[in-house]
Amino acid sequence: MTSTKQFSVNLMSEIVGQVQGHRDGHGFVLADEEGISVYLAPQEMRSVMHRDRVRVRVVRFDRKGRPEGQVLEILERRKVPIIGRLLHEGGVWLVAPEDRRYGRDILIPAKATGKAEPGQVVSVELTESPSLVAQPVGRVVEVLGGIDDPGMEIEIAVRKYEVPHQFHDDVLAQAAKLPEKIRPADRKNRIDLTDVPLVTIDGEDARDFDDAVYCEPVKIGRSKAPNGWRLLVAIADVSHYVKPDEPLDRDAYERATSVYFPRRVIPMLPEKLSNGLCSLNPEVDRLSMVCDMLINAEGQIHAYQFYPAVICSHARFTYNEVAAILGNTKGPEAQRRGELVPHLLHLHEVYRVLLKARGGRGAVDFDTTETQIICDDNGRISKIVPRVRTEAHRLIEEAMLAANVCSADFIERARHPALYRVHEGPTPEKKVLLKNYLKALGLGLSLSDDPTPGEFQAIAEATKDRPDSTQVHTMLLRSMQQAIYTPINSGHFGLAYEAYTHFTSPIRRYPDLLVHRVIKALLGSGRYGLKLPPVQSSVGNFKKRAGASGVKGLPKAPKPSVKVKMSAEEAAAWETVGIHCSANERRADEASRDVEAWLKCMFMRERLGDEYGGTVSAVTSFGLFVLLDGLFVEGLIHITELGGEYFKFDEARQELRGERTGVRYAVGARVRVQVSRVDLDTRKIDFRLVRESAEQPFSSGARVRRGGSGAADELTEVQVKDRGAKRAAKEAAKCGREGGADGARRAPGGAATNGRRPAGKKAARGRG
């Protein structure tokens, strides 16, 4: 839905921004001023290219009031290599860009092809820019290989999305000088936790271990028996080795995150750190930052503290192994890990109370099916399998969430600037769309004007057994904004937290590294002065490069909830870092999805003409997306393949309905399709409708089953509780203002901490 604000420009206005091309030949100028997009006709696009910065004049408006522009001046040509396939057609050499938004082929002089052969994937540098009468000209600067070479999809993606994939020489030199193990000097001013049986729990194929955990029952208050747990979350102390404004830091900031592909990872830090010094490998002493928490029987964080420590992981567990132990404490896995089983059971106990607290605060927790691509030795898909989430996965997740909440609370109470992980609820436009959708389904459920996470979760619970539960949950997810990194805290809607940061993965996320630095500064009664590292690549201000590499725009910065003491210069620096890290996170996601789409196209190219059963997974105005049974591959049945009648898209119901026959298709409909086309260049798979399946809960006019009155009652109960909680919070805030502050640092649950370790054994770990 387009807001009127987006097009608040006048005729003959001049706009400066970046060109975003479209595969159909036209383009847009994404203005530096937020929310303005100007259409460029194909003729205007002939003299510019995707990612160029230009100045345009608004010359007309279309029927919907959207501005159309004329290019006045090209301010900056994007000087980055373009990836494509080298072709030799009619005696002419040219490169067809892999990114179709460039719109035009690039001419290559015969002497500028280097050692490349026709059909190979190459990297091209422009030597002549395009004009109204001439195509762009370039020269081959790198030959990546054949289109079918193993790993070619990753080589293309990292260049297409400008993902830094090679460490600079000064970074490798600095990493080489780091010690192989921790030195005596590194242990100074750290608490020795090497005797605490901390363990790591990760996936079978994990190579870096940045968090370790431990739990034991403790007495809280005057209780004579254990009535709570001490939970230790130990995180690799990356900040000890990666110092501000050094080569390692500059490169880490440039990357901002590790990028994960099937069978390959582009790490944020060199292997010497990510798989060595900062990996909590078993039976090896490692430096860490510890979040030491007391959790009461209600799952509330009673007290917490942070401190630097030396730990020694006592074992490396996998999720499957821990799940097997929790499922059978007498089984072979449990017998093999005998001494550590009691600690795993304590971890499971604290997980259950934390999970109960999650439900109590109304956090959103949808049941979604994630898949994992299994590749063969040639890097091609051998199969795609559902990723099963066990109790072990959830156990670690809750421990990490707890540590992240404590770090946010600690920083916010100190009023120190940092990057929060902010996730806001639905925008007004998306809220209206969601309300109309729920009303059209006839569920008897709706949202209040100021919806809470509890309302979303109540709807998810009330609809989880419906055939269209996937679509309902998808609509709930789509209505919420994307999470971002920002120095302005406005809470995390999905998790129902008032403040939330990322603390638990500094090996692979730069914001976590910054949070560690801030916490260390506060522990030393100091202040972390952020200085922006110079970015060595072309990835700069996100606002100026929005859409440059397929990265979607970021939500608008929220309003502050707590006033933080910082200068205008410091505020600008933190905001810039937040934008940079958020943008690069989007870039990593886009690159990963691009590679997965490539692999799925290669996988289905060998299955052209085959028939499969499937389920409609999404409905659009141009057709149906269908997820194939067993293969977990999605493709499109274009609306022209649905039969010889006119289909109308009902946005409220999210369905296609035939005007003549009344046949309708919605999510959950069972169909049988044939693989009709696979386009590797556009990463698209097309299906042809063979016939509708016998079981059709949502097609051929089938009625939508309505939710019972119990679902509506459940949502009403949640809304009443939320209103009561808001009134109680206001009363508490009023009392706090009248009573004044007591000066003690308190955990989110209540009890004050005094900077000393709580009584009990040395502590453990957490992830978030």
mmCIF file of all heavy atoms in Angstrom, residues 6 65 141-142 150 167 273 306 331 376 559 572 624 642:
data_model
loop_
_atom_site.group_PDB
_atom_site.id
_atom_site.type_symbol
_atom_site.label_atom_id
_atom_site.label_comp_id
_atom_site.label_asym_id
_atom_site.label_seq_id
_atom_site.Cartn_x
_atom_site.Cartn_y
_atom_site.Cartn_z
ATOM 1 N N GLN A 6 4.516 9.460 0.251
ATOM 2 C CA GLN A 6 5.599 8.977 -0.591
ATOM 3 C C GLN A 6 5.743 9.816 -1.859
ATOM 4 O O GLN A 6 6.820 9.959 -2.400
ATOM 5 C CB GLN A 6 5.355 7.520 -0.961
ATOM 6 C CG GLN A 6 6.490 6.918 -1.782
ATOM 7 C CD GLN A 6 6.300 5.443 -1.989
ATOM 8 O OE1 GLN A 6 5.383 4.871 -1.450
ATOM 9 N NE2 GLN A 6 7.161 4.829 -2.758
ATOM 10 N N GLY A 65 -1.124 9.252 -9.467
ATOM 11 C CA GLY A 65 -0.415 10.349 -8.834
ATOM 12 C C GLY A 65 1.053 10.098 -8.589
ATOM 13 O O GLY A 65 1.712 10.840 -7.853
ATOM 14 N N VAL A 141 37.664 -8.817 -16.425
ATOM 15 C CA VAL A 141 38.732 -8.677 -15.430
ATOM 16 C C VAL A 141 38.920 -9.954 -14.598
ATOM 17 O O VAL A 141 39.939 -10.122 -13.940
ATOM 18 C CB VAL A 141 38.457 -7.490 -14.486
ATOM 19 C CG1 VAL A 141 38.519 -6.176 -15.242
ATOM 20 C CG2 VAL A 141 37.107 -7.638 -13.784
ATOM 21 N N GLU A 142 37.933 -10.859 -14.655
ATOM 22 C CA GLU A 142 38.050 -12.099 -13.884
ATOM 23 C C GLU A 142 37.173 -13.168 -14.520
ATOM 24 O O GLU A 142 36.044 -12.900 -14.920
ATOM 25 C CB GLU A 142 37.626 -11.868 -12.428
ATOM 26 C CG GLU A 142 37.780 -13.091 -11.529
ATOM 27 C CD GLU A 142 37.283 -12.855 -10.116
ATOM 28 O OE1 GLU A 142 36.651 -11.797 -9.878
ATOM 29 O OE2 GLU A 142 37.519 -13.718 -9.243
ATOM 30 N N PRO A 150 30.886 -26.606 -9.634
ATOM 31 C CA PRO A 150 30.476 -26.638 -8.221
ATOM 32 C C PRO A 150 30.832 -25.333 -7.510
ATOM 33 O O PRO A 150 31.932 -24.812 -7.651
ATOM 34 C CB PRO A 150 31.280 -27.813 -7.650
ATOM 35 C CG PRO A 150 31.590 -28.675 -8.826
ATOM 36 C CD PRO A 150 31.755 -27.736 -9.981
ATOM 37 N N PHE A 167 39.663 -11.485 2.881
ATOM 38 C CA PHE A 167 40.207 -10.594 3.900
ATOM 39 C C PHE A 167 41.369 -9.797 3.331
ATOM 40 O O PHE A 167 42.167 -10.311 2.542
ATOM 41 C CB PHE A 167 40.666 -11.394 5.122
ATOM 42 C CG PHE A 167 39.540 -11.975 5.924
ATOM 43 C CD1 PHE A 167 39.242 -13.332 5.841
ATOM 44 C CD2 PHE A 167 38.774 -11.175 6.751
ATOM 45 C CE1 PHE A 167 38.197 -13.878 6.571
ATOM 46 C CE2 PHE A 167 37.725 -11.711 7.488
ATOM 47 C CZ PHE A 167 37.435 -13.056 7.396
ATOM 48 N N LEU A 273 40.445 -16.622 14.463
ATOM 49 C CA LEU A 273 39.583 -16.205 15.562
ATOM 50 C C LEU A 273 38.290 -17.014 15.607
ATOM 51 O O LEU A 273 37.925 -17.568 16.648
ATOM 52 C CB LEU A 273 39.242 -14.717 15.428
ATOM 53 C CG LEU A 273 40.350 -13.724 15.771
ATOM 54 C CD1 LEU A 273 39.975 -12.337 15.296
ATOM 55 C CD2 LEU A 273 40.597 -13.703 17.272
ATOM 56 N N PHE A 306 27.290 -9.155 34.927
ATOM 57 C CA PHE A 306 28.224 -9.462 33.853
ATOM 58 C C PHE A 306 29.639 -9.382 34.391
ATOM 59 O O PHE A 306 29.942 -8.543 35.253
ATOM 60 C CB PHE A 306 28.068 -8.461 32.701
ATOM 61 C CG PHE A 306 26.784 -8.594 31.936
ATOM 62 C CD1 PHE A 306 25.655 -7.872 32.313
ATOM 63 C CD2 PHE A 306 26.694 -9.444 30.843
ATOM 64 C CE1 PHE A 306 24.473 -7.991 31.614
ATOM 65 C CE2 PHE A 306 25.513 -9.571 30.140
ATOM 66 C CZ PHE A 306 24.397 -8.843 30.524
ATOM 67 N N GLY A 331 19.222 -43.906 28.442
ATOM 68 C CA GLY A 331 19.661 -44.386 27.144
ATOM 69 C C GLY A 331 21.168 -44.350 26.981
ATOM 70 O O GLY A 331 21.907 -43.866 27.845
ATOM 71 N N ASP A 376 25.308 -32.719 -2.372
ATOM 72 C CA ASP A 376 26.210 -33.835 -2.658
ATOM 73 C C ASP A 376 27.643 -33.303 -2.781
ATOM 74 O O ASP A 376 27.918 -32.128 -2.539
ATOM 75 C CB ASP A 376 25.779 -34.580 -3.921
ATOM 76 C CG ASP A 376 25.715 -33.659 -5.148
ATOM 77 O OD1 ASP A 376 26.417 -32.619 -5.155
ATOM 78 O OD2 ASP A 376 24.991 -33.980 -6.099
ATOM 79 N N LYS A 559 10.615 5.927 17.866
ATOM 80 C CA LYS A 559 10.784 7.009 18.823
ATOM 81 C C LYS A 559 11.466 6.477 20.082
ATOM 82 O O LYS A 559 11.218 5.356 20.499
ATOM 83 C CB LYS A 559 9.425 7.612 19.173
ATOM 84 C CG LYS A 559 8.746 8.303 17.995
ATOM 85 C CD LYS A 559 7.415 8.894 18.396
ATOM 86 C CE LYS A 559 6.750 9.590 17.217
ATOM 87 N NZ LYS A 559 5.434 10.160 17.590
ATOM 88 N N ALA A 572 24.653 10.495 15.811
ATOM 89 C CA ALA A 572 24.743 10.255 14.367
ATOM 90 C C ALA A 572 25.613 9.043 14.069
ATOM 91 O O ALA A 572 25.312 8.250 13.164
ATOM 92 C CB ALA A 572 25.297 11.492 13.666
ATOM 93 N N LEU A 624 -0.664 -18.654 -8.371
ATOM 94 C CA LEU A 624 -0.563 -19.427 -7.124
ATOM 95 C C LEU A 624 0.855 -19.957 -6.951
ATOM 96 O O LEU A 624 1.439 -20.494 -7.891
ATOM 97 C CB LEU A 624 -1.522 -20.623 -7.158
ATOM 98 C CG LEU A 624 -2.978 -20.388 -7.560
ATOM 99 C CD1 LEU A 624 -3.692 -21.728 -7.701
ATOM 100 C CD2 LEU A 624 -3.678 -19.512 -6.529
ATOM 101 N N LEU A 642 -4.717 -21.367 -15.101
ATOM 102 C CA LEU A 642 -5.805 -21.838 -14.245
ATOM 103 C C LEU A 642 -7.091 -22.127 -15.013
ATOM 104 O O LEU A 642 -8.077 -22.553 -14.421
ATOM 105 C CB LEU A 642 -6.092 -20.802 -13.151
ATOM 106 C CG LEU A 642 -4.967 -20.598 -12.129
ATOM 107 C CD1 LEU A 642 -5.360 -19.535 -11.109
ATOM 108 C CD2 LEU A 642 -4.630 -21.905 -11.424
#
